[in-house]
């Protein structure tokens, strides 16, 4: 493992919100069951206690001995453990857990969960669960996109379950498409993020006077918030593009924070590997031109816009319809400026609308941000710098300074979920 990887792992462990959490891990009969070992390892490394509940079919893919060795707990599969009347209480498990994670979850188990068919220990545990439930489907692409599967997923979402969407990839059938269970590290990060948000809400709910820690619940109810997130890709030819390292995490956390406060959120997302709550209206785009068109249209009916996307400033003047071949003279690209989305919305802005822009700087940060505040006609600028290790692109943390015409306020480095709280607190003050 590279030094940076070791440091990132240690930082994740130190910042883990899973420490001391009790997790019931449900495993069903999928080829992806082998990945449950990596999920267990990830949860335990972050300080969680894991109890496995596995279906009879799941044991055909991975043995209880392996799972027990990793969790240091007996694996639960059957209702009755012996012939002397001893039995496993699904009710007790439902009360014990801080969360239940079912990964992998087959189409069969999805159907049983959605319709309350309690014919195995895992389903009865799910039906008795008092804690939040996370479901990571895994199946072939045709099974996943079948209307019955999608209907069951919609039912489970409506019950309050958290669906960890499968990804596109190579499947056991030999086909390629959506249905491959999300990677273990992403699943573990999803649970960690959930508990981080819960901790943030409790922390801020217990404060009454801090400038960045006010109580919030539905303060944005009735407000329409537009948010841009992620990078844009500007094509050079069918296989190459101009882009950047933005993951979109900051924008997605802002969208979720606005949703939690009751806002009607439109999220315009560049090409990112992130999911958002179904209540958020998501518009996926690729290029600056597409993001510009969507933003201009959405801003007309918005109360505020938060422009956190890392939009490319330049695009190829001409895009080759075929792959550009390697040549002895190299490659010369002629670039043209892209749309300035922040400036365009700043010119459109009505007196009752608010505009929040982001400034990612590499030098002379504050002066550059102040200049952008004026040029874009923004209400405040969220400044972050590439010179602060472990922040900005690809990181779970950020360190920002909010700059307005009334002054500035610098915040400590913290998870982006908490940074989103700070930013939306500031937006609430001016709405």
């Amino acid at each position: 493992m590279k030094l940076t990887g070791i440091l990132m792992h240690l930082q994740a462990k130190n910042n883990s919100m899973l420490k001391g959490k009790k997790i019931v891990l449900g495993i069903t009969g999928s080829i992806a069951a082998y990945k449950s070992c990596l999920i267990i390892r990830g949860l335990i490394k972050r300080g969680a206690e894991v109890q496995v509940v596995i279906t009879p079919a799941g044991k055909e893919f991975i043995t209880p001995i392996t799972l027990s060795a990793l969790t240091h707990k007996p694996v639960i599969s059957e209702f009755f453990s012996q012939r002397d009347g001893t039995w496993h209480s699904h009710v007790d498990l439902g009360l014990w857990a801080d969360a239940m994670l079912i990964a992998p979850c087959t189409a069969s188990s999805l159907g049983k969960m959605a319709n309350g068919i309690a014919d195995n220990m895992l389903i009865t545990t799910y039906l008795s669960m008092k804690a939040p439930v996370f479901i990571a489907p895994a199946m072939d692409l045709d099974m996943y996109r079948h209307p019955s599967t999608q209907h069951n997923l919609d039912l489970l979402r409506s019950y309050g379950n958290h669906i960890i969407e499968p990804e596109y990839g190579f499947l056991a059938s030999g086909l390629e498409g959506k249905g491959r269970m999300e990677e273990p590290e992403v699943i573990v990060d999803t649970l960690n993020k959930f508990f981080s948000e819960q901790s943030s809400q409790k922390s801020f709910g217990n404060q009454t006077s801090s400038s960045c820690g006010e109580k919030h619940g539905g303060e944005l109810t009735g407000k329409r918030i537009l948010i841009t997130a992620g990078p844009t890709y500007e094509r050079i030819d069918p296989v190459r593009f101009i882009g950047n390292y933005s993951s979109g995490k900051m924008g997605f956390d802002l969208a979720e924070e606005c949703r939690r406060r009751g806002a009607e959120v439109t999220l315009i997302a560049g090409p990112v590997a992130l999911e958002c709550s179904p209540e958020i209206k998501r518009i996926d785009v690729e290029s600056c031109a597409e993001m510009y068109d969507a933003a201009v249209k959405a801003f007309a009916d918005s109360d505020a816009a938060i422009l956190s996307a890392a939009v490319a400033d330049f695009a190829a003047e001409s895009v080759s319809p075929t792959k550009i071949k390697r040549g002895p003279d190299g490659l010369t690209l002629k670039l043209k400026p892209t749309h300035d989305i922040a400036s365009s919305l700043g010119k459109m802005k009505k007196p009752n609308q608010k505009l929040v822009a982001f400034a990612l700087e590499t030098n002379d940060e504050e002066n550059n941000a102040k200049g952008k505040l004026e040029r874009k006609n923004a209400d405040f600028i969220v400044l972050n710098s590439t010179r602060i290790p472990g922040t900005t692109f690809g990181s779970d943390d950020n360190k920002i300074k909010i700059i307005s015409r009334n002054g500035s306020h610098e915040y400590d480095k913290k998870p982006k979920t908490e940074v989103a709280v700070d930013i939306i607190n500031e937006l609430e003050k001016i709405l």
Side-chain angles (χ1 to χ4, degrees), residues 12 15-19 46 187-197:
N15 293 336
S16 175
M17 300 304 297
L18 289 167
K19 187 174 182 180
R46 296 206 187 192
I187 293 173
V188 173
D189 283 341
T190 299
L191 267 68
N192 189 69
K193 179 180 175 182
F194 172 81
F195 286 113
S196 176
E197 291 172 353

Side-chain angles (χ1 to χ4, degrees), residues 100-149:
M100 183 177 189
L101 167 65
I102 304 170
C105 187
T106 61
S108 174
S109 292
L110 284 175
K112 291 178 181 180
M113 292 160 63
N115 294 282
I117 302 174
D119 66 347
N120 62 50
M121 186 65 189
L122 190 152
I123 304 300
T124 56
T125 301
Y126 161 73
L127 292 173
S128 299
M129 188 56 54
K130 304 296 184 184
V133 177
F134 296 80
I135 303 167
M139 63 199 73
D140 207 63
L141 74 165
D142 293 321
M143 295 178 71
Y144 180 75
R145 66 189 179 195
H146 194 279
S148 62
T149 303

Side-chain angles (χ1 to χ4, degrees), residues 3-81:
L3 178 60
T4 54
I6 296 172
L7 293 174
M8 288 176 68
H9 166 70
L10 291 174
Q11 183 182 42
K13 186 174 181 180
N14 291 336
N15 293 336
S16 175
M17 300 304 297
L18 289 167
K19 187 174 182 180
K21 299 298 183 185
K22 299 177 176 67
I23 311 296
V24 170
L25 174 61
I27 302 173
T28 69
S30 164
I31 188 66
Y34 77 92
K35 292 185 179 181
S36 61
C37 294
L38 300 176
I39 294 173
I40 292 169
R41 186 174 68 174
L43 290 170
I44 290 177
K45 278 188 175 181
R46 296 206 187 192
E49 184 179 348
V50 182
Q51 174 63 64
V52 171
V53 179
I54 191 169
T55 64
K59 291 190 290 185
E60 299 295 324
F61 292 89
I62 188 165
T63 67
I65 293 174
T66 300
L67 299 169
S68 180
L70 291 170
T71 61
H72 306 290
K73 289 178 178 292
V75 171
I76 297 173
S77 178
E78 309 298 336
F79 293 107
F80 304 98
S81 56

Side-chain angles (χ1 to χ4, degrees), residues 117-316:
I117 302 174
D119 66 347
N120 62 50
M121 186 65 189
L122 190 152
I123 304 300
T124 56
T125 301
Y126 161 73
L127 292 173
S128 299
M129 188 56 54
K130 304 296 184 184
V133 177
F134 296 80
I135 303 167
M139 63 199 73
D140 207 63
L141 74 165
D142 293 321
M143 295 178 71
Y144 180 75
R145 66 189 179 195
H146 194 279
S148 62
T149 303
Q150 292 302 309
H151 175 67
N152 288 331
L153 285 168
D154 288 341
L155 277 176
L156 290 168
R157 288 190 188 97
S158 72
Y159 300 158
N161 297 291
H162 303 265
I163 307 299
I164 303 174
E165 291 283 341
E167 59 180 350
Y168 290 85
F170 185 76
L171 304 169
S173 65
L175 301 175
E176 193 167 352
K178 188 170 185 179
R180 180 186 178 94
M181 189 179 81
E182 183 57 274
E183 291 304 312
E185 61 268 23
V186 177
I187 293 173
V188 173
D189 283 341
T190 299
L191 267 68
N192 189 69
K193 179 180 175 182
F194 172 81
F195 286 113
S196 176
E197 291 172 353
Q198 293 291 303
S199 175
S200 174
Q201 287 179 346
K202 290 178 182 177
S203 172
F204 284 107
N206 289 331
Q207 300 179 41
T208 57
S209 59
S210 170
S211 63
C212 64
E214 299 166 357
K215 287 182 70 176
H216 58 266
E219 295 91 336
L220 294 180
T221 299
K223 299 295 184 183
R224 296 179 178 178
I225 310 295
L226 162 67
I227 298 173
T228 64
T232 64
Y233 290 172
E234 313 302 328
R235 294 193 178 196
I236 297 171
D237 63 18
V239 298
R240 301 182 181 93
F241 60 85
I242 299 169
N244 57 64
Y245 298 111
S246 174
S247 65
K249 291 178 182 177
M250 189 72 257
F252 275 66
D253 286 337
L254 285 164
E256 296 291 354
E257 183 62 27
C258 287
R259 176 194 62 80
R260 276 191 292 273
R261 301 194 193 196
E264 181 182 328
V265 182
T266 298
L267 176 62
I268 303 174
V272 296
L274 296 173
E275 297 293 335
C276 63
S277 299
E279 297 90 348
I280 293 172
K281 179 183 178 183
R282 177 173 177 173
I283 302 171
D284 289 309
V285 299
E286 179 181 275
S287 67
C288 173
E290 293 172 346
M291 185 171 284
Y292 171 83
D293 290 340
V296 167
K297 182 177 180 180
F299 188 58
D301 296 322
S302 298
D303 295 289
I306 307 173
L307 306 181
S308 67
V311 183
D313 293 317
F314 300 96

